[in-house]
Amino acid sequence: MPTLPECCGAFEDRWPFRQRLPGLSFVQTQTSPEHFHPDAPAQAALPEPPSILNAQPKRRTDFLAGRLCAREALTTLGGPVACPDQRGDGAPAWPDGFTGSISHTDGLATAVAGLSEYWMGLGIDLEPMIDDERARRLAPRLLTPDERARFRNRLEQAPGALVTTVFSFKESLFKALHPVTGQRFYFQDAELMDTPNRDKTTLRLCTALGPSWPEGSTLEGHLTDCHDRCLTLVTVPA
């Protein structure tokens, strides 16, 4: 039976967001790249793609931990005991009947998996806090003009927290929608319509992503803190 390698901590599967959603499973693990061993993928029964075989231990640990979280989330939903394959663009290829998303940052990896009868797409993202000075520089690139006006007070008072949250939501949105639409889009192509908080948030497309996703389409986002990091989730209902 596959076992967790030393570079990955025990799985945590407590649902992190305030609103519980149907047909979803969330799993996270803390990571220690300094404990990565070349035998770790075999120990976990997870073959590595050729693209990362010569990568640094941190990248190999992140890949391994994220895929193992995904495998655990899938099995919780009754899915196959298998990690998602890798698509040509590097994104996970989920088995039939399931969708999901993976994210990792320094010291932590997460995955969410969902039943396709409930969800067409899912996007999850973990981000460490951006410092205030860097956030002020990034704001014009990451926030639309309407967002900068809408969140003007927060941008002045807590730019790091606001920009980190907006950035993370837009990363989650891309992960959720790109596999569904096949269209690439960028930070100025979507916006948050209300103040990010620990409950639901609405994201709106500022550009069309095909006939099924016209400009003005909205999706639901969720936000929480996770080990001192910003954790966001965007869901695309089936």
Side-chain angles (χ1 to χ4, degrees):
M1 292 292 292
T3 58
L4 275 175
E6 189 178 357
C7 59
C8 298
F11 291 131
E12 303 172 50
D13 60 2
R14 181 183 62 84
W15 182 252
F17 302 99
R18 177 173 295 180
Q19 181 181 1
R20 180 73 212 195
L21 301 172
L24 290 182
S25 176
F26 171 87
V27 176
Q28 66 180 8
T29 182
Q30 299 192 49
T31 59
S32 304
E34 65 274 15
H35 295 142
F36 179 83
H37 189 276
D39 291 338
Q43 178 185 349
L46 173 59
E48 290 180 298
S51 59
I52 69 165
L53 286 176
N54 296 317
Q56 293 298 311
K58 180 185 182 305
R59 187 181 175 201
R60 296 177 75 180
T61 297
D62 286 344
F63 179 89
L64 179 64
R67 287 313 198 271
L68 291 178
C69 285
R71 182 168 71 188
E72 182 72 8
L74 283 169
T75 57
T76 300
L77 292 174
V81 184
C83 297
D85 292 331
Q86 191 174 42
R87 301 189 327 184
D89 60 2
W94 298 86
D96 290 345
F98 299 88
T99 186
S101 182
I102 297 172
S103 186
H104 43 71
T105 185
D106 290 344
L108 194 64
T110 64
V112 62
L115 298 171
S116 297
E117 64 186 278
Y118 292 100
W119 309 105
M120 190 183 306
L122 299 167
I124 199 164
D125 185 67
L126 268 172
E127 294 295 336
M129 192 63 63
I130 299 171
D131 66 73
D132 287 345
E133 182 179 352
R134 182 165 176 251
R136 291 188 184 96
R137 295 197 306 269
L138 290 173
R141 183 162 67 91
L142 301 181
L143 278 67
T144 66
D146 283 348
E147 284 176 317
R148 297 201 299 275
R150 187 175 297 129
F151 307 132
R152 182 178 63 252
N153 290 340
R154 292 194 65 179
L155 193 55
E156 292 173 353
Q157 297 167 9
L162 175 67
V163 171
T164 301
T165 302
V166 173
F167 175 78
S168 185
F169 265 125
K170 292 185 180 182
E171 288 286 299
S172 289
L173 179 67
F174 184 85
K175 291 180 180 181
L177 267 187
H178 179 252
V180 174
T181 67
Q183 301 290 320
R184 297 197 68 84
F185 57 99
Y186 304 92
F187 294 111
Q188 296 293 319
D189 295 331
E191 62 182 358
L192 272 67
M193 297 303 296
D194 41 32
T195 303
N197 55 44
R198 292 180 63 85
D199 203 349
K200 292 188 294 187
T201 298
T202 301
L203 295 97
R204 173 186 177 275
L205 292 181
C206 303
T207 188
L209 299 178
S212 299
W213 295 94
E215 179 182 348
S217 298
T218 60
L219 286 170
E220 191 174 276
H222 303 264
L223 168 70
T224 192
D225 296 323
C226 184
H227 293 275
D228 298 321
R229 298 162 178 84
C230 173
L231 177 68
T232 58
L233 170 70
V234 173
T235 56
V236 185

